[in-house]
Amino acid sequence: MTAYRKISLTMLTVFILVYLLGAVFYIGQARHDVQRELIGVHGLADSLGSPGNLPASVVENMRHMRPLAGTASAAKAGDSVPSWFSSMIAGNVSFAPVNGWRIDPSDEAEEIWEGFLLISFSYAVGMVLCFAALYGSVRQGLRPLESLASGLEAVAGGKLTSRLPRQDIRELDALAGRFNTMAVALENEQKTVSLLLNELLQLQDRERSHIARVLHDDLGQYLTGIRAQARSWVYDPELDEQHKQQARDMAGHCETLQQHFRHLLQDLHPLVMEQLGLGSAIRHLTEQWQQLSGLDCRLDMDDRLPQLTDEQQTHLYRFLQEALNNISRHARASCATLAVAGNTQGLRVEIRDDGEGNDNLPEKAGLGLRSMRERARCLGGKVQFFSKAGEGTCICLAVPLPNSGSGSGGAL
């Protein structure tokens, strides 16, 4: 039930009770006045004598007294007053005829009925005006609350820049001020958290890059040396066949270890992106993902992509890496499609799979999805997740780049 309807029902109940109580008091007082008036008229009839002794004009203009001979015409004089009202006004009071006069309260009842109608009409007009004023006041009072509800809805949707305007009513203005203070605090807190998360992601990427370089420059070289030494033992004439076979096995183990080592380095830091650009890194990522997951991945990518900073390229690469890893781990899919399109206005990425899907994917977001959302925020873009049970999942990333042009071939 709306606030206006609830207040209106309460006011209507009060108005009806007041009207009924006023009607009871009005009729009670009118009944008392009629009885007192009739007593006076009875005394007047006793002192006037018979109607036949008075002029006809005087008899016709007499109030509350009727000649007994004109009873039928006199009864018609009070037909405009409801009988139930007349009985309430006159009550059970009756007077015997006096000197040929009949005491008739119809004139007094008609006056009281007209007054009752006038008061009732005035009361109805006043009630209508009160309800109109109530409607205007409630609407004016609810408008700031509707604005507050819209502001809260915007804040719940992530729009922490929402602010409420100043209000004419002091209490509502104080409420709007507290809302604005809360929104400012939340916005500042979100900026702080976002800054910390961004710095954490950058630190994580730098640590990965550092570990990858150490593994590549130190351990990788040692592993290459061990493999070369084992290969040289195969051709050593002083070794028997058993030792040569052990050398071949060692070289094979070193080669297998180097393959896993390269996958680990690529996962830690895509060196190919530094050497050949973002496009080549994305192609290498899909190829490596197919090898490791055993799933098919169809890549549809523009030949020329918008120019991105090194930080943006890293965030985009990690975003795609996390999306593909989620497909291989959780989607139970047989294939995936990766589309990357760019123009002068920005970059659009779409990742689809034919897996089992999930109707409650946004609500069941794990660390991977939260990481993707944060990567999208760091890119200044927006990510959306569409998933339905039995129909797979689609992830759409839109990164607006209004000030960027098309990148050169070296950016791929």
Side-chain angles (χ1 to χ4, degrees):
M1 183 180 294
T2 63
Y4 175 72
R5 182 173 297 179
K6 188 173 183 179
I7 296 175
S8 297
L9 289 177
T10 303
M11 293 293 295
L12 181 62
T13 303
V14 172
F15 271 112
I16 292 175
L17 292 176
V18 172
Y19 178 78
L20 293 177
L21 186 62
V24 170
F25 284 126
Y26 180 85
I27 292 175
Q29 182 63 39
R31 186 173 182 177
H32 176 72
D33 293 340
V34 167
Q35 292 178 356
R36 188 172 53 186
E37 184 76 13
L38 293 180
I39 292 175
V41 170
H42 186 272
L44 178 62
D46 187 35
S47 62
L48 285 178
S50 175
N53 299 330
L54 299 176
S57 59
V58 174
V59 173
E60 291 178 357
N61 292 324
M62 293 297 294
R63 290 176 56 81
H64 312 317
M65 296 191 325
R66 298 287 184 271
L68 290 176
T71 301
S73 60
K76 296 181 181 180
D79 288 346
S80 60
V81 182
S83 58
W84 59 268
F85 188 82
S86 298
S87 62
M88 292 178 64
I89 294 299
N92 297 322
V93 178
S94 59
F95 293 89
V98 180
N99 294 331
W101 294 98
R102 181 179 61 84
I103 308 301
D104 184 9
S106 60
D107 292 336
E108 192 70 20
E110 187 174 2
E111 290 181 0
I112 296 174
W113 173 249
E114 292 175 354
F116 181 77
L117 291 180
L118 180 61
I119 293 175
S120 299
F121 177 76
S122 301
Y123 189 84
V125 171
M127 185 174 65
V128 172
L129 293 178
C130 286
F131 275 101
L134 175 65
Y135 178 79
S137 300
V138 171
R139 290 298 303 169
Q140 184 178 3
L142 290 180
R143 193 174 294 113
L145 297 180
E146 292 174 354
S147 178
L148 177 61
S150 300
L152 290 174
E153 184 177 357
V155 169
K159 298 179 181 178
L160 300 182
T161 57
S162 299
R163 301 291 184 271
L164 296 181
R166 296 295 301 270
Q167 304 295 327
D168 297 332
I169 302 175
R170 184 175 61 182
E171 292 79 5
L172 293 177
D173 186 64
L175 182 61
R178 290 188 177 92
F179 172 84
N180 293 335
T181 302
M182 178 198 70
V184 170
L186 288 176
E187 184 180 10
N188 293 335
E189 189 67 22
Q190 185 191 51
K191 290 180 179 178
T192 301
V193 172
S194 298
L195 181 61
L196 290 175
L197 288 176
N198 191 15
E199 292 179 352
L200 180 61
L201 290 175
Q202 293 182 22
L203 178 61
Q204 183 185 54
D205 292 334
R206 287 196 297 267
E207 288 295 327
R208 285 181 173 182
S209 176
H210 175 69
I211 294 173
R213 292 185 184 279
V214 170
L215 292 176
H216 180 271
D217 296 340
D218 295 339
L219 298 181
Q221 297 301 324
Y222 285 122
L223 189 59
T224 302
I226 295 172
R227 181 186 176 189
Q229 184 66 38
R231 286 293 184 184
S232 67
W233 288 342
V234 175
Y235 303 101
D236 190 348
E238 297 181 359
L239 296 178
D240 56 19
E241 188 60 29
Q242 180 180 0
H243 289 90
K244 288 182 179 181
Q245 185 59 41
Q246 291 177 349
R248 292 190 189 95
D249 294 340
M250 182 182 295
H253 292 324
C254 288
E255 184 177 359
T256 302
L257 186 58
Q258 280 184 314
Q259 291 178 357
H260 291 288
F261 198 67
R262 282 192 292 269
H263 291 321
L264 176 61
L265 292 178
Q266 182 64 24
D267 186 62
L268 287 173
H269 183 68
L271 297 176
V272 67
M273 188 164 60
E274 295 182 357
Q275 300 169 358
L276 301 179
L278 178 62
S280 298
I282 294 176
R283 292 190 182 93
H284 186 271
L285 174 64
T286 56
E287 294 171 359
Q288 182 183 15
W289 182 78
Q290 289 184 98
Q291 293 177 2
L292 296 177
S293 65
L295 304 178
D296 182 33
C297 181
R298 291 188 287 270
L299 176 63
D300 181 13
M301 183 170 58
D302 289 351
D303 294 333
R304 301 173 70 86
L305 297 177
Q307 189 71 36
L308 300 175
T309 64
D310 293 341
E311 181 182 343
Q312 288 177 319
Q313 291 184 22
T314 301
H315 283 308
L316 179 59
Y317 182 87
R318 295 299 182 194
F319 181 92
L320 298 176
Q321 188 180 46
E322 187 63 44
L324 292 175
N325 289 337
N326 283 339
I327 293 176
S328 61
R329 293 172 184 169
H330 310 295
R332 297 181 181 178
S334 60
C335 67
T337 302
L338 173 59
V340 183
N343 52 41
T344 57
Q345 298 300 318
L347 185 70
R348 181 172 179 82
V349 178
E350 186 176 287
I351 307 104
R352 290 181 176 272
D353 67 70
D354 61 350
E356 58 185 8
N358 192 326
D359 293 331
N360 300 319
L361 181 62
E363 289 77 10
K364 295 183 177 180
L367 182 60
L369 294 185
R370 288 196 292 268
S371 174
M372 292 171 65
R373 283 198 180 101
E374 186 58 29
R375 296 282 185 186
R377 191 200 61 77
C378 293
L379 285 166
K382 181 179 180 182
V383 61
Q384 292 178 297
F385 300 91
F386 304 96
S387 184
K388 189 174 182 180
E391 298 183 7
T393 301
C394 177
I395 303 174
C396 297
L397 171 66
V399 182
L401 301 170
N403 297 324
S404 66
S406 296
S408 60
L412 296 179

